[in-house]
Amino acid sequence: MTDVLRQPAEIVWKAEIDALRGDDNGPKPAGWAMSPRAVVTYLLGGKAADGTEITPKYVGQKRLIETAVATLATDRALLLLGVPGTAKSWVSEHLAAAVAGDSTLVVQCTAGTDENQIRYGWNYAQLLAKGPSEEALVPTPLYRAMEAGKLCRMEELTRMGSDVQDTLITVLSEKMMPIPELNSSIYATRGFNIIATANNRDKGVNELSSALKRRFNVVVLPLPDTIDEEVSIVTKRVGEMAAGLDLPLPKNVAAEVGRVVTMFRELRNGQTMDGKTALKAPTGTLSTAEAIAVMVGGLSQAAFFTDGTLNVDGLAPNVLGAVVKDPVQDKTVLAEYLETVVKKRRDYADYYSVLTELL
């Protein structure tokens, strides 16, 4: 038993990765730990040659994952695009774990990210004592990925300023990074590439320049097509997260997932499941990831406050928190949804009662 709250993918799924590598005779691009076919199997699930069951890490269209994997085998970088909660970071982590055996070379991009956090920084004590030198240079995850021939993950690429984004152009086009202070450069080892994630729904997004866009192949990860697919994803991830947090799984988890996902899909799509009633959509995304968070919050409340009973009293406050991001607009949207839709459903009477009281 480890005290680490969350291990990287290459450790959690080490047995599956080792099984796939054990008899992987497919052609491997330079620097890759396994063949592209094995990477796709690792992401989508299947069986290794020795019979080991490979659990699906991503539930979705196979062609999207094949395109992502094929892109990483070329000299173009990969940009995973989609609304928040479409598993962009999750897919990015698992791709890096399978391809390079290391998913920890991550740059979290924010409005405050500057060039030093992308390219390299300096140990100022060493810099003042000896001037610019290799000993004084502090490598970033991007720098280390270039040195080691691994994948660098750049999370929320469009959150950092356009001028900082463009520092990647030379790295992506020339596969090198100039270090003018040392009058030298670092050249990428084969196997190096970048997986970036971005969404265009949140505020504070900076458009990529046309020069940078050309150096990325974009793969759009959509929200699940059907409610059955989304319920399956949420149920699976909730089970995995509950196990990691030592939370018991009550028998009614799947049923509650179905009800939460139904409400989320109706609100974000702006209509009821049967298409007969138009609804106002809230300001939030109500993504699959948020449905997972709602369920895990409910499981935590059930474990510590209701003797393991998963009920609406524990879930409804989490649903309210996910839906109401704008305290004025979203409250109105939810109140109308409760009165026009939820109130008429006998099997949702408990949600109507508790959410109406909370509002």
Side-chain angles (χ1 to χ4, degrees):
M1 187 70 179
T2 177
D3 290 330
V4 176
L5 185 60
R6 184 184 184 279
Q7 296 276 15
E10 58 271 19
I11 294 178
V12 176
W13 281 273
K14 183 178 185 300
E16 293 186 13
I17 291 173
D18 289 345
L20 285 169
R21 289 179 183 174
D23 193 28
D24 184 9
N25 298 318
K28 300 182 184 69
W32 282 40
M34 64 173 74
S35 67
R37 282 185 181 274
V39 174
V40 171
T41 300
Y42 171 73
L43 264 291
L44 298 180
K47 277 193 175 181
D50 65 358
T52 299
E53 193 73 28
I54 307 301
T55 57
K57 317 301 179 302
Y58 176 74
V59 178
Q61 301 173 34
K62 183 178 181 181
R63 63 179 178 83
L64 293 179
I65 298 301
E66 288 180 340
T67 300
V69 173
T71 296
L72 292 173
T74 70
D75 63 348
R76 295 187 74 192
L78 172 65
L79 176 60
L80 299 175
L81 189 66
V83 299
T86 48
K88 299 182 297 295
S89 297
W90 180 255
V91 170
S92 168
E93 178 183 359
H94 283 286
L95 283 172
V99 170
D102 185 356
S103 64
T104 63
L105 297 172
V106 185
V107 177
Q108 180 62 57
C109 305
T110 69
T113 302
D114 60 25
E115 286 189 32
N116 293 337
Q117 293 165 287
I118 300 297
R119 300 171 73 233
Y120 52 84
W122 297 98
N123 179 322
Y124 287 101
Q126 290 271 12
L127 191 63
L128 290 172
K130 301 179 181 178
S133 63
E134 289 189 11
E135 292 76 17
L137 188 145
V138 178
T140 63
L142 176 63
Y143 190 109
R144 298 201 303 273
M146 293 180 71
E147 271 190 322
K150 294 185 176 182
L151 298 179
C152 178
R153 299 167 51 210
M154 305 200 74
E155 295 294 315
E156 301 293 352
L157 181 63
T158 52
R159 284 196 168 279
M160 65 182 181
S162 300
D163 54 335
V164 182
Q165 293 173 12
D166 284 346
T167 61
L168 295 173
I169 291 176
T170 301
V171 172
L172 293 177
S173 59
E174 306 295 333
K175 301 297 184 286
M176 57 86 74
M177 183 190 297
I179 310 175
E181 297 90 342
L182 301 182
N183 194 28
S184 66
S185 301
I186 175 175
Y187 291 84
T189 302
R190 296 189 70 178
F192 164 75
N193 212 330
I194 289 176
I195 308 175
T197 66
N199 76 75
N200 54 7
R201 285 285 298 273
D202 285 351
K203 296 177 181 178
V205 169
N206 300 291
E207 284 292 326
L208 299 180
S209 67
S210 57
L212 191 54
K213 282 180 182 176
R214 289 196 301 271
R215 288 159 174 82
F216 280 101
N217 189 33
V218 178
V219 172
V220 179
L221 298 184
L223 289 164
D225 290 332
T226 67
I227 186 169
D228 289 341
E229 187 177 70
E230 188 162 8
V231 167
S232 173
I233 293 169
V234 174
T235 303
K236 179 178 181 297
R237 285 292 295 132
V238 167
E240 292 170 348
M241 294 179 72
L245 295 169
D246 293 327
L247 295 174
L249 274 179
K251 293 181 179 179
N252 64 330
V253 167
E256 293 302 333
V257 167
R259 296 205 291 172
V260 169
V261 169
T262 296
M263 291 189 291
F264 275 26
R265 287 180 73 92
E266 289 183 328
L267 284 167
R268 76 176 181 236
N269 292 335
Q271 63 179 14
T272 52
M273 296 297 292
D274 58 13
K276 294 180 179 179
T277 305
L279 303 168
K280 293 179 181 177
T283 57
T285 58
L286 296 182
S287 65
T288 308
E290 288 177 292
I292 293 168
V294 165
M295 292 305 303
V296 173
L299 288 179
S300 178
Q301 191 148 340
F304 298 114
F305 299 107
T306 58
D307 298 323
T309 303
L310 180 64
N311 55 33
V312 172
D313 287 335
L315 288 168
N318 291 284
V319 170
L320 182 68
V323 175
V324 179
K325 304 299 185 187
D326 183 306
V328 177
Q329 180 179 337
D330 291 340
K331 274 192 174 184
T332 302
V333 168
L334 181 57
E336 288 185 10
Y337 175 64
L338 291 173
E339 291 300 323
T340 59
V341 178
V342 178
K343 186 177 182 179
K344 300 175 183 178
R345 295 174 175 167
R346 291 183 180 179
D347 53 341
Y348 282 73
D350 48 355
Y351 269 108
Y352 174 78
S353 175
V354 178
L355 284 172
T356 300
E357 181 182 337
L358 290 172
L359 279 175

